[in-house]
Amino acid sequence: MRIDIITIFPEYFAPLELSLIGKARASGLLDIRLHDLRSWTHDRHNTVDDTPFGGGPGMVMKPEPWGAALDDVAGRGPDERPPRLVLPTPSGRPFTQAAADRLAGEPRLVFACGRYEGIDSRVAADAALRMPVEELSVGDYVLNGGESAVLVMVEAVTRLLPGVLGNADSAAQDSFAPGAMHNLVEGPVYTKPRVWRDQEVPPVLLSGDHGAVDRWRRDEALRKTVRTRPDLAERLAAEGDLDRRDRE
Ligand SMILES: Nc1ccc2ncsc2c1
């Protein structure tokens, strides 16, 4: 997979050189390219924003630099598929595990990091003439820009690519993972020592009975989900995956 990220803060993405994503990039499994939006400005101050038409607070990102950047970055050969453009924005559809799974199947993604009050809306409309465009939100809270959201989305997507996680099975056991963990959050986890500050590891985990361990883990995941995510518990109940016993 190739990922292009356009931003006025390329240094924000230094964490993508670390750990499993860094290793995947070094091995050639993953091609992540950073682009400074100001490279597509031509005035002395490398201006990327201006006041909003209609008045109001803050500044809006100008369309010209974005249009030129996307022409270059998202450009493609005549027989190449266009990349999918992802616009991180609080007004977008929720970014969920299902969205991560779907984006992980794309050969190319381009992320456009907005700042200030956002990017001039004509940029997305113009890009949609040449490529699929989707607006995604990582949650209902205030951020200063899209960079943190893109870090979240890139990690959630790229960890699903074959070969990126050391143990392919672990993704399947993650909270929200499709299949057994759909609409479930993970329960408690333990490692050595068996007793720590008078707290013992649940004996079933030491039993060697894998069936009992699997049942215990699912029960604990259900209990945690009911306790911390009643919204997911409702979905589980609606799907018939949650009986009354689990709600206690
Ligand atoms: N403030 C805010 C909230 C969510 C979100 N998702 C992508 S950019 C963004 C910005």
Side-chain angles (χ1 to χ4, degrees), residues 87-90 136-146 149 153:
L87 298 174
T89 170
L136 293 174
S137 168
V138 294
D140 297 336
Y141 35 76
V142 182
L143 296 174
N144 294 329
M153 290 192 257

PDB file of all heavy atoms in Angstrom, residues 87-90 136-146 149 153, ligand 1:
ATOM      1  N   LEU A  87     -10.443  12.813   3.675  1.00  0.00           N
ATOM      2  CA  LEU A  87     -10.399  14.140   4.295  1.00  0.00           C
ATOM      3  C   LEU A  87     -10.796  13.996   5.759  1.00  0.00           C
ATOM      4  O   LEU A  87     -11.983  13.746   6.052  1.00  0.00           O
ATOM      5  CB  LEU A  87     -11.363  15.090   3.591  1.00  0.00           C
ATOM      6  CG  LEU A  87     -11.077  15.362   2.111  1.00  0.00           C
ATOM      7  CD1 LEU A  87     -12.199  16.197   1.501  1.00  0.00           C
ATOM      8  CD2 LEU A  87      -9.737  16.076   1.951  1.00  0.00           C
ATOM      9  N   PRO A  88      -9.870  14.078   6.697  1.00  0.00           N
ATOM     10  CA  PRO A  88     -10.237  14.002   8.107  1.00  0.00           C
ATOM     11  C   PRO A  88     -10.957  15.288   8.511  1.00  0.00           C
ATOM     12  O   PRO A  88     -10.440  16.381   8.260  1.00  0.00           O
ATOM     13  CB  PRO A  88      -8.899  13.863   8.828  1.00  0.00           C
ATOM     14  CG  PRO A  88      -7.883  14.393   7.895  1.00  0.00           C
ATOM     15  CD  PRO A  88      -8.424  14.244   6.517  1.00  0.00           C
ATOM     16  N   THR A  89     -12.146  15.156   9.084  1.00  0.00           N
ATOM     17  CA  THR A  89     -12.923  16.333   9.482  1.00  0.00           C
ATOM     18  C   THR A  89     -13.947  15.932  10.539  1.00  0.00           C
ATOM     19  O   THR A  89     -14.516  14.835  10.469  1.00  0.00           O
ATOM     20  CB  THR A  89     -13.661  16.946   8.278  1.00  0.00           C
ATOM     21  OG1 THR A  89     -14.578  17.945   8.747  1.00  0.00           O
ATOM     22  CG2 THR A  89     -14.422  15.907   7.483  1.00  0.00           C
ATOM     23  N   PRO A  90     -14.193  16.807  11.518  1.00  0.00           N
ATOM     24  CA  PRO A  90     -15.193  16.475  12.541  1.00  0.00           C
ATOM     25  C   PRO A  90     -16.593  16.309  11.975  1.00  0.00           C
ATOM     26  O   PRO A  90     -17.464  15.723  12.580  1.00  0.00           O
ATOM     27  CB  PRO A  90     -15.121  17.666  13.508  1.00  0.00           C
ATOM     28  CG  PRO A  90     -14.447  18.744  12.772  1.00  0.00           C
ATOM     29  CD  PRO A  90     -13.558  18.098  11.765  1.00  0.00           C
ATOM     30  N   LEU A 136     -13.941  11.655   6.934  1.00  0.00           N
ATOM     31  CA  LEU A 136     -14.045  10.773   8.099  1.00  0.00           C
ATOM     32  C   LEU A 136     -13.678  11.504   9.382  1.00  0.00           C
ATOM     33  O   LEU A 136     -12.759  12.325   9.406  1.00  0.00           O
ATOM     34  CB  LEU A 136     -13.114   9.574   7.915  1.00  0.00           C
ATOM     35  CG  LEU A 136     -13.478   8.599   6.792  1.00  0.00           C
ATOM     36  CD1 LEU A 136     -12.392   7.542   6.635  1.00  0.00           C
ATOM     37  CD2 LEU A 136     -14.820   7.925   7.058  1.00  0.00           C
ATOM     38  N   SER A 137     -14.416  11.188  10.441  1.00  0.00           N
ATOM     39  CA  SER A 137     -14.169  11.789  11.755  1.00  0.00           C
ATOM     40  C   SER A 137     -13.712  10.728  12.745  1.00  0.00           C
ATOM     41  O   SER A 137     -14.257   9.624  12.760  1.00  0.00           O
ATOM     42  CB  SER A 137     -15.453  12.437  12.303  1.00  0.00           C
ATOM     43  OG  SER A 137     -15.273  12.773  13.670  1.00  0.00           O
ATOM     44  N   VAL A 138     -12.735  11.077  13.575  1.00  0.00           N
ATOM     45  CA  VAL A 138     -12.250  10.118  14.585  1.00  0.00           C
ATOM     46  C   VAL A 138     -12.952  10.328  15.925  1.00  0.00           C
ATOM     47  O   VAL A 138     -12.649   9.653  16.892  1.00  0.00           O
ATOM     48  CB  VAL A 138     -10.712  10.197  14.795  1.00  0.00           C
ATOM     49  CG1 VAL A 138      -9.995   9.743  13.545  1.00  0.00           C
ATOM     50  CG2 VAL A 138     -10.272  11.581  15.234  1.00  0.00           C
ATOM     51  N   GLY A 139     -13.907  11.285  15.969  1.00  0.00           N
ATOM     52  CA  GLY A 139     -14.639  11.423  17.230  1.00  0.00           C
ATOM     53  C   GLY A 139     -15.209  12.810  17.425  1.00  0.00           C
ATOM     54  O   GLY A 139     -14.834  13.754  16.728  1.00  0.00           O
ATOM     55  N   ASP A 140     -16.097  12.907  18.421  1.00  0.00           N
ATOM     56  CA  ASP A 140     -16.801  14.184  18.634  1.00  0.00           C
ATOM     57  C   ASP A 140     -16.097  14.993  19.721  1.00  0.00           C
ATOM     58  O   ASP A 140     -16.546  15.042  20.862  1.00  0.00           O
ATOM     59  CB  ASP A 140     -18.264  13.909  19.025  1.00  0.00           C
ATOM     60  CG  ASP A 140     -19.004  13.205  17.889  1.00  0.00           C
ATOM     61  OD1 ASP A 140     -18.569  13.359  16.728  1.00  0.00           O
ATOM     62  OD2 ASP A 140     -19.972  12.485  18.180  1.00  0.00           O
ATOM     63  N   TYR A 141     -14.982  15.585  19.358  1.00  0.00           N
ATOM     64  CA  TYR A 141     -14.270  16.467  20.289  1.00  0.00           C
ATOM     65  C   TYR A 141     -13.445  17.436  19.438  1.00  0.00           C
ATOM     66  O   TYR A 141     -13.350  17.279  18.218  1.00  0.00           O
ATOM     67  CB  TYR A 141     -13.340  15.664  21.218  1.00  0.00           C
ATOM     68  CG  TYR A 141     -12.706  14.471  20.564  1.00  0.00           C
ATOM     69  CD1 TYR A 141     -11.634  14.627  19.680  1.00  0.00           C
ATOM     70  CD2 TYR A 141     -13.189  13.186  20.781  1.00  0.00           C
ATOM     71  CE1 TYR A 141     -11.067  13.533  19.045  1.00  0.00           C
ATOM     72  CE2 TYR A 141     -12.617  12.084  20.152  1.00  0.00           C
ATOM     73  CZ  TYR A 141     -11.560  12.279  19.289  1.00  0.00           C
ATOM     74  OH  TYR A 141     -11.007  11.196  18.660  1.00  0.00           O
ATOM     75  N   VAL A 142     -12.859  18.416  20.070  1.00  0.00           N
ATOM     76  CA  VAL A 142     -12.167  19.469  19.316  1.00  0.00           C
ATOM     77  C   VAL A 142     -10.676  19.151  19.169  1.00  0.00           C
ATOM     78  O   VAL A 142     -10.014  18.801  20.157  1.00  0.00           O
ATOM     79  CB  VAL A 142     -12.337  20.839  20.025  1.00  0.00           C
ATOM     80  CG1 VAL A 142     -11.656  21.938  19.208  1.00  0.00           C
ATOM     81  CG2 VAL A 142     -13.816  21.146  20.209  1.00  0.00           C
ATOM     82  N   LEU A 143     -10.190  19.197  17.942  1.00  0.00           N
ATOM     83  CA  LEU A 143      -8.754  19.090  17.680  1.00  0.00           C
ATOM     84  C   LEU A 143      -8.331  20.349  16.938  1.00  0.00           C
ATOM     85  O   LEU A 143      -9.170  21.079  16.401  1.00  0.00           O
ATOM     86  CB  LEU A 143      -8.450  17.865  16.801  1.00  0.00           C
ATOM     87  CG  LEU A 143      -8.772  16.486  17.386  1.00  0.00           C
ATOM     88  CD1 LEU A 143      -8.550  15.408  16.330  1.00  0.00           C
ATOM     89  CD2 LEU A 143      -7.932  16.211  18.612  1.00  0.00           C
ATOM     90  N   ASN A 144      -7.032  20.598  16.855  1.00  0.00           N
ATOM     91  CA  ASN A 144      -6.564  21.800  16.151  1.00  0.00           C
ATOM     92  C   ASN A 144      -6.380  21.560  14.653  1.00  0.00           C
ATOM     93  O   ASN A 144      -6.189  22.490  13.892  1.00  0.00           O
ATOM     94  CB  ASN A 144      -5.238  22.276  16.756  1.00  0.00           C
ATOM     95  CG  ASN A 144      -5.440  22.756  18.180  1.00  0.00           C
ATOM     96  OD1 ASN A 144      -6.520  23.267  18.519  1.00  0.00           O
ATOM     97  ND2 ASN A 144      -4.450  22.542  19.027  1.00  0.00           N
ATOM     98  N   GLY A 145      -6.430  20.287  14.257  1.00  0.00           N
ATOM     99  CA  GLY A 145      -6.236  20.006  12.837  1.00  0.00           C
ATOM    100  C   GLY A 145      -6.392  18.522  12.575  1.00  0.00           C
ATOM    101  O   GLY A 145      -6.686  17.746  13.488  1.00  0.00           O
ATOM    102  N   GLY A 146      -6.149  18.128  11.366  1.00  0.00           N
ATOM    103  CA  GLY A 146      -6.364  16.736  10.975  1.00  0.00           C
ATOM    104  C   GLY A 146      -5.196  15.798  11.232  1.00  0.00           C
ATOM    105  O   GLY A 146      -5.351  14.578  11.111  1.00  0.00           O
ATOM    106  N   ALA A 149      -5.644  13.010  13.772  1.00  0.00           N
ATOM    107  CA  ALA A 149      -6.636  12.059  13.250  1.00  0.00           C
ATOM    108  C   ALA A 149      -6.024  11.161  12.183  1.00  0.00           C
ATOM    109  O   ALA A 149      -6.291   9.950  12.147  1.00  0.00           O
ATOM    110  CB  ALA A 149      -7.819  12.820  12.675  1.00  0.00           C
ATOM    111  N   MET A 153      -5.797   7.111  12.004  1.00  0.00           N
ATOM    112  CA  MET A 153      -6.334   6.328  10.890  1.00  0.00           C
ATOM    113  C   MET A 153      -5.233   5.499  10.202  1.00  0.00           C
ATOM    114  O   MET A 153      -5.445   4.318   9.885  1.00  0.00           O
ATOM    115  CB  MET A 153      -7.014   7.253   9.888  1.00  0.00           C
ATOM    116  CG  MET A 153      -8.313   7.843  10.412  1.00  0.00           C
ATOM    117  SD  MET A 153      -9.284   8.660   9.143  1.00  0.00           S
ATOM    118  CE  MET A 153      -8.930  10.359   9.512  1.00  0.00           C
TER     119      MET A 153
HETATM  120  N1  LIG B   1     -11.986  18.308  15.938  1.00  0.00           N
HETATM  121  C1  LIG B   1     -11.908  17.138  15.183  1.00  0.00           C
HETATM  122  C2  LIG B   1     -12.638  16.020  15.597  1.00  0.00           C
HETATM  123  C3  LIG B   1     -12.594  14.853  14.857  1.00  0.00           C
HETATM  124  C4  LIG B   1     -11.807  14.777  13.717  1.00  0.00           C
HETATM  125  N2  LIG B   1     -11.635  13.697  12.870  1.00  0.00           N
HETATM  126  C5  LIG B   1     -10.844  13.942  11.853  1.00  0.00           C
HETATM  127  S1  LIG B   1     -10.234  15.543  11.868  1.00  0.00           S
HETATM  128  C6  LIG B   1     -11.087  15.916  13.304  1.00  0.00           C
HETATM  129  C7  LIG B   1     -11.126  17.098  14.035  1.00  0.00           C
END
